[in-house]
Every structure is written in structure tokens, then in C-alpha cells.
Amino acid sequence: MQTHDAARAPHPGGAPGRRSRTGTRGGPGRKALAILATLALASTLAACGGGDDDESADGKIRLTVATFNEFGYEDLITEYNEMQDEVVVEQKKAGQANEHQDNLYTKLAAGSGLSDIEAIEVDWLAALMQQSDAFVDLSDPEVEGRWLDWKTEAATTDDGKLIGYGTDVGPQALCYRADLFEKAGLPTDREEVAKRFTTWDDYFEAGSEFVEKVPDAVWYDSSGATAQAMINQTQYTFEDEDDNVIAADNPDVKRIFDTVTSYSEQGLSTRLPQWEEDWVSSFQKDAFATMACPGWMLGVIEGNSEGVEGWDVAGVFPGGPGVWGGSYLTVPEQGEHQEEAIALAKWLTAPEQQAKAYTAKATFPSQVEALEDPVVAESKREFFNNAPVGQILVQQAKAIEFIPYKGPKFADIITAFQQAIQRVDEGQESPDEAWESFLADVERLG
């Protein structure tokens, strides 16, 4: 969802604010992990939570749904309330993912105060799965097969407990400025672009060509974001399947670091971190020509590019398919009205509801049936030169074979990784110095 920030923007994904769809500002972080470490003890001390008021003035059960950025639930909750005689639902919506995350971990540790339904980001899953007893088991034959396999598997414990119902996913495509491509003599038609950029070598080679011909702009929006997109194509990046840290020895990590810092030094990057004010304003300055584009990012681009023409989206991602971000709905054990909360979470994540959320906020569905819904599959976006974004993203989603493994330390390590890249971008360290600093950070993380 979106990751998804400016708002999950239009994701559970992203735009100003969303700082977290994945990685950079995303995951649990050391503070959050420390809070989680106290959760087991706290949960034995606390009884029930579930919010301040569990009943409304008219005697109906009051359910709360805590989300962040944009999940597209406003109209759905109105619709649900109109169908209910005994339940009233209220949405608590945080403007940014990190704000919601802090509240979630604090109240988990306290053992009370959470909403009846809590949205979580995919990057937080690994840490939360270690405390799966804090969440209700949502496995149910009624919902088997509802989601893409890898979406469900990521939220399922080894003993088969499902702690979250999938909302959205972020299949990666390539967004580009066709008008700037034309200035550089690059193909502008999205099908031709898709054929041209199937590998990272092709992508960076074209970038070098682009900056020579269009000196007032660079090739991509952010070094850290480009690195993150490449990491999203690697199954085990910083930790192996047993949660052993492999970041220092994994050749893919060094390859991505060297590639991104090298091309940044050649002038292909804005050298701006995503979600910062300068990055947001760069959309209005024709500052860059391409960017990694998970589904939720479309809304971010459109929101930041008001009045700008030329954006398009191609059904390709250099190096192959990948997924960036996505969210789940959980039901905390501390809630008093778990049965009603499960029913609501099940309804909100049903294919027909997720298709409506997609229409409302471009939260690309993770439900198999929703991907076949004409509302999704045949959708187009006028802002992106009327691109068939539904067809493109469905194609990209179905090509995904795995979701990158993100262990308990993923968030801290990718933060250190992107900070190292940023230090190179800002001239604080050479690439070699930044790599050594990163290795030292990894060693400190243990």
C-alpha cells in the first residue's frame, strides 16, 4: 500500500509523507526493535486494549481501523457502516507511515491502546512475525487462494498462522518523461521503451547518452531509490533465510553499491534522497527523466507533477520483475471485538473492495480476482499519456516469482546502505570510504 510516501500517495506506497514504503525510512529500525523486545513481557501484563471507547453512544460496537497515507478506505467504510446494524467503524489515518509505525510499536509494547485493525507495511513484517502471538490468526478456508501466493506466504508463520490480510502490492514498472526522451533522441513510445530497457546495463548506458544530450536534466530521481529498486530484485540481500547477516559478504550488495555510486558520480542522479522537500520539488523542474515506478508511485508522481506534461509508464523494469512495498491488515490480540474486526478486515480486503480502493487511490490490488477485474485490468491513467496502467501492472505483478526476504535487521541495514550512498552523493565520503563505513555499521548491528 504503499509503500506505500507523499503519501502512500497515493499508495499504500508513497508521496510526501509516506516515507516508508520500503527501506529508507521504512522498517522497524533499532528503536522499534527495542520496543518489540519488550512486547512479550508487556503482553503478559496487559489484558485487553482495543481503543478508548468500544461502544458508541447508541450502544453499537465501535471498531477502529488504523491506516497510514492512503488506503482508499473512506468510501468503503461509509459503505460498510450503512450495511451494519450493530457496528460502527471509524478510520484513524496517520499522514505518514513512520508516524503510524511509532504508534503501533509503542502500543504493542504497552499491551493496550491499539485499534481493532492495524495496517502494517511489508517491511515491518519480519519484526512483527517474531511477535506473532500479539496478532490474531486470520487463516480461514474462506479466504484461501484470495491473494498472490507470495503475498500470503510472507505473512504466514512456519506453523501456518496468518497474521495479516493483504491489501496492495507494488509491482515495479518504469516511469519516464517522454518529452525529455525525445530531446535525447531516445524512443518515446512505451512499447519501444519496454524493449529498450530490459537490463540494467541498457538502462545506465542510455542514461549516459541522455545526460550528454540533455545537460539540464539527469537520468533518474534518486540514487538511494534506484539502489532500493535493484535490491527488490534480490531474494536474499542483507540476511539469509535463517536471519544470518550476509550484507558484508553478499556480492550483490557490493555490485549494487558500486553501480549506483559510479553512475551517480557520472552525473546520472539528482543526488536527492526520496521524499525530501527538494526531491518533491524536482518534479516541477524537469530535473530527471526516469524513476522506478511501483504501482503506488503513479499517484505520487501525478501529485508532485501538477501542470507538468510528458510522463508515461512502460511495462518493463530493468533486470526483471520486482516488488516494492505493499501492506496488510492485522487484528491485534489486545482488541476486545476480534470477531467483528476479522469480519471487517476480511470484507475490506475482498477483491471487489480492493478494486474500489484502486479506483479511489490507485492502491494496486494483491488479490488474484481483483487483478482480473476490468476496473483494474483495463484501467488507464490520462496523466501518463493515457497509459494502460492496469494491464502494465497486472503483467508486472504476475511476473514476480518471489518477494525479497526482509529479516529482522533489514530495515536498519538498508537504512545504513542508503545513507552510505547518500554520503557519496553529498561528497562527504568517497565510494570506498562510504563502503567501509557501511561495513562498520553492519558489524555494529551484529
PDB file of all heavy atoms in Angstrom, residues 431-444:
ATOM      1  N   PRO A 431      33.425   6.729  -2.600  1.00  0.00           N
ATOM      2  CA  PRO A 431      32.740   5.426  -2.602  1.00  0.00           C
ATOM      3  C   PRO A 431      33.441   4.401  -1.717  1.00  0.00           C
ATOM      4  O   PRO A 431      32.769   3.646  -0.990  1.00  0.00           O
ATOM      5  CB  PRO A 431      32.768   5.040  -4.086  1.00  0.00           C
ATOM      6  CG  PRO A 431      32.738   6.343  -4.808  1.00  0.00           C
ATOM      7  CD  PRO A 431      33.590   7.254  -3.978  1.00  0.00           C
ATOM      8  N   ASP A 432      34.770   4.355  -1.759  1.00  0.00           N
ATOM      9  CA  ASP A 432      35.483   3.376  -0.919  1.00  0.00           C
ATOM     10  C   ASP A 432      35.278   3.678   0.565  1.00  0.00           C
ATOM     11  O   ASP A 432      35.062   2.764   1.375  1.00  0.00           O
ATOM     12  CB  ASP A 432      36.982   3.393  -1.245  1.00  0.00           C
ATOM     13  CG  ASP A 432      37.282   2.763  -2.595  1.00  0.00           C
ATOM     14  OD1 ASP A 432      36.409   2.039  -3.122  1.00  0.00           O
ATOM     15  OD2 ASP A 432      38.387   3.000  -3.126  1.00  0.00           O
ATOM     16  N   GLU A 433      35.345   4.948   0.920  1.00  0.00           N
ATOM     17  CA  GLU A 433      35.142   5.325   2.331  1.00  0.00           C
ATOM     18  C   GLU A 433      33.715   5.010   2.772  1.00  0.00           C
ATOM     19  O   GLU A 433      33.485   4.513   3.885  1.00  0.00           O
ATOM     20  CB  GLU A 433      35.428   6.820   2.513  1.00  0.00           C
ATOM     21  CG  GLU A 433      36.901   7.184   2.360  1.00  0.00           C
ATOM     22  CD  GLU A 433      37.115   8.684   2.297  1.00  0.00           C
ATOM     23  OE1 GLU A 433      36.154   9.423   1.953  1.00  0.00           O
ATOM     24  OE2 GLU A 433      38.247   9.126   2.575  1.00  0.00           O
ATOM     25  N   ALA A 434      32.763   5.285   1.909  1.00  0.00           N
ATOM     26  CA  ALA A 434      31.367   5.033   2.265  1.00  0.00           C
ATOM     27  C   ALA A 434      31.099   3.541   2.419  1.00  0.00           C
ATOM     28  O   ALA A 434      30.345   3.112   3.303  1.00  0.00           O
ATOM     29  CB  ALA A 434      30.450   5.629   1.196  1.00  0.00           C
ATOM     30  N   TRP A 435      31.735   2.732   1.566  1.00  0.00           N
ATOM     31  CA  TRP A 435      31.554   1.273   1.685  1.00  0.00           C
ATOM     32  C   TRP A 435      32.116   0.779   3.010  1.00  0.00           C
ATOM     33  O   TRP A 435      31.496  -0.038   3.703  1.00  0.00           O
ATOM     34  CB  TRP A 435      32.214   0.555   0.511  1.00  0.00           C
ATOM     35  CG  TRP A 435      32.106  -0.949   0.617  1.00  0.00           C
ATOM     36  CD1 TRP A 435      33.106  -1.827   0.899  1.00  0.00           C
ATOM     37  CD2 TRP A 435      30.925  -1.737   0.469  1.00  0.00           C
ATOM     38  NE1 TRP A 435      32.638  -3.114   0.943  1.00  0.00           N
ATOM     39  CE2 TRP A 435      31.292  -3.082   0.675  1.00  0.00           C
ATOM     40  CE3 TRP A 435      29.593  -1.440   0.189  1.00  0.00           C
ATOM     41  CZ2 TRP A 435      30.372  -4.136   0.607  1.00  0.00           C
ATOM     42  CZ3 TRP A 435      28.666  -2.482   0.115  1.00  0.00           C
ATOM     43  CH2 TRP A 435      29.060  -3.804   0.323  1.00  0.00           C
ATOM     44  N   GLU A 436      33.283   1.271   3.364  1.00  0.00           N
ATOM     45  CA  GLU A 436      33.881   0.863   4.638  1.00  0.00           C
ATOM     46  C   GLU A 436      33.019   1.320   5.812  1.00  0.00           C
ATOM     47  O   GLU A 436      32.874   0.598   6.805  1.00  0.00           O
ATOM     48  CB  GLU A 436      35.300   1.431   4.765  1.00  0.00           C
ATOM     49  CG  GLU A 436      36.314   0.815   3.802  1.00  0.00           C
ATOM     50  CD  GLU A 436      36.436  -0.703   3.978  1.00  0.00           C
ATOM     51  OE1 GLU A 436      36.444  -1.155   5.134  1.00  0.00           O
ATOM     52  OE2 GLU A 436      36.510  -1.416   2.959  1.00  0.00           O
ATOM     53  N   SER A 437      32.453   2.492   5.711  1.00  0.00           N
ATOM     54  CA  SER A 437      31.556   2.974   6.762  1.00  0.00           C
ATOM     55  C   SER A 437      30.323   2.081   6.869  1.00  0.00           C
ATOM     56  O   SER A 437      29.852   1.768   7.966  1.00  0.00           O
ATOM     57  CB  SER A 437      31.114   4.411   6.473  1.00  0.00           C
ATOM     58  OG  SER A 437      32.217   5.290   6.454  1.00  0.00           O
ATOM     59  N   PHE A 438      29.821   1.683   5.721  1.00  0.00           N
ATOM     60  CA  PHE A 438      28.660   0.785   5.713  1.00  0.00           C
ATOM     61  C   PHE A 438      29.000  -0.543   6.386  1.00  0.00           C
ATOM     62  O   PHE A 438      28.229  -1.065   7.210  1.00  0.00           O
ATOM     63  CB  PHE A 438      28.182   0.556   4.275  1.00  0.00           C
ATOM     64  CG  PHE A 438      27.189  -0.564   4.129  1.00  0.00           C
ATOM     65  CD1 PHE A 438      25.918  -0.462   4.695  1.00  0.00           C
ATOM     66  CD2 PHE A 438      27.528  -1.738   3.457  1.00  0.00           C
ATOM     67  CE1 PHE A 438      25.009  -1.510   4.571  1.00  0.00           C
ATOM     68  CE2 PHE A 438      26.627  -2.783   3.332  1.00  0.00           C
ATOM     69  CZ  PHE A 438      25.362  -2.670   3.885  1.00  0.00           C
ATOM     70  N   LEU A 439      30.153  -1.094   6.047  1.00  0.00           N
ATOM     71  CA  LEU A 439      30.557  -2.371   6.667  1.00  0.00           C
ATOM     72  C   LEU A 439      30.672  -2.219   8.183  1.00  0.00           C
ATOM     73  O   LEU A 439      30.294  -3.128   8.938  1.00  0.00           O
ATOM     74  CB  LEU A 439      31.890  -2.836   6.081  1.00  0.00           C
ATOM     75  CG  LEU A 439      31.889  -3.218   4.598  1.00  0.00           C
ATOM     76  CD1 LEU A 439      33.282  -3.707   4.179  1.00  0.00           C
ATOM     77  CD2 LEU A 439      30.833  -4.262   4.284  1.00  0.00           C
ATOM     78  N   ALA A 440      31.190  -1.088   8.625  1.00  0.00           N
ATOM     79  CA  ALA A 440      31.290  -0.854  10.073  1.00  0.00           C
ATOM     80  C   ALA A 440      29.905  -0.788  10.704  1.00  0.00           C
ATOM     81  O   ALA A 440      29.682  -1.309  11.811  1.00  0.00           O
ATOM     82  CB  ALA A 440      32.065   0.437  10.332  1.00  0.00           C
ATOM     83  N   ASP A 441      28.969  -0.149  10.002  1.00  0.00           N
ATOM     84  CA  ASP A 441      27.593  -0.083  10.518  1.00  0.00           C
ATOM     85  C   ASP A 441      26.989  -1.481  10.614  1.00  0.00           C
ATOM     86  O   ASP A 441      26.302  -1.810  11.585  1.00  0.00           O
ATOM     87  CB  ASP A 441      26.729   0.791   9.597  1.00  0.00           C
ATOM     88  CG  ASP A 441      27.037   2.279   9.740  1.00  0.00           C
ATOM     89  OD1 ASP A 441      27.618   2.665  10.781  1.00  0.00           O
ATOM     90  OD2 ASP A 441      26.703   3.033   8.813  1.00  0.00           O
ATOM     91  N   VAL A 442      27.229  -2.283   9.592  1.00  0.00           N
ATOM     92  CA  VAL A 442      26.686  -3.644   9.590  1.00  0.00           C
ATOM     93  C   VAL A 442      27.266  -4.445  10.767  1.00  0.00           C
ATOM     94  O   VAL A 442      26.546  -5.176  11.452  1.00  0.00           O
ATOM     95  CB  VAL A 442      27.003  -4.352   8.257  1.00  0.00           C
ATOM     96  CG1 VAL A 442      26.667  -5.837   8.336  1.00  0.00           C
ATOM     97  CG2 VAL A 442      26.229  -3.698   7.121  1.00  0.00           C
ATOM     98  N   GLU A 443      28.553  -4.284  10.998  1.00  0.00           N
ATOM     99  CA  GLU A 443      29.181  -5.008  12.108  1.00  0.00           C
ATOM    100  C   GLU A 443      28.580  -4.575  13.452  1.00  0.00           C
ATOM    101  O   GLU A 443      28.335  -5.401  14.333  1.00  0.00           O
ATOM    102  CB  GLU A 443      30.692  -4.760  12.113  1.00  0.00           C
ATOM    103  CG  GLU A 443      31.432  -5.607  13.147  1.00  0.00           C
ATOM    104  CD  GLU A 443      32.944  -5.486  12.998  1.00  0.00           C
ATOM    105  OE1 GLU A 443      33.385  -4.813  12.039  1.00  0.00           O
ATOM    106  OE2 GLU A 443      33.654  -6.065  13.834  1.00  0.00           O
ATOM    107  N   ARG A 444      28.301  -3.286  13.589  1.00  0.00           N
ATOM    108  CA  ARG A 444      27.706  -2.807  14.838  1.00  0.00           C
ATOM    109  C   ARG A 444      26.294  -3.350  15.028  1.00  0.00           C
ATOM    110  O   ARG A 444      25.856  -3.604  16.153  1.00  0.00           O
ATOM    111  CB  ARG A 444      27.668  -1.271  14.838  1.00  0.00           C
ATOM    112  CG  ARG A 444      28.969  -0.607  15.242  1.00  0.00           C
ATOM    113  CD  ARG A 444      28.783   0.872  15.501  1.00  0.00           C
ATOM    114  NE  ARG A 444      28.519   1.609  14.282  1.00  0.00           N
ATOM    115  CZ  ARG A 444      29.477   2.112  13.505  1.00  0.00           C
ATOM    116  NH1 ARG A 444      30.738   1.953  13.841  1.00  0.00           N
ATOM    117  NH2 ARG A 444      29.185   2.763  12.388  1.00  0.00           N
TER     118      ARG A 444
END
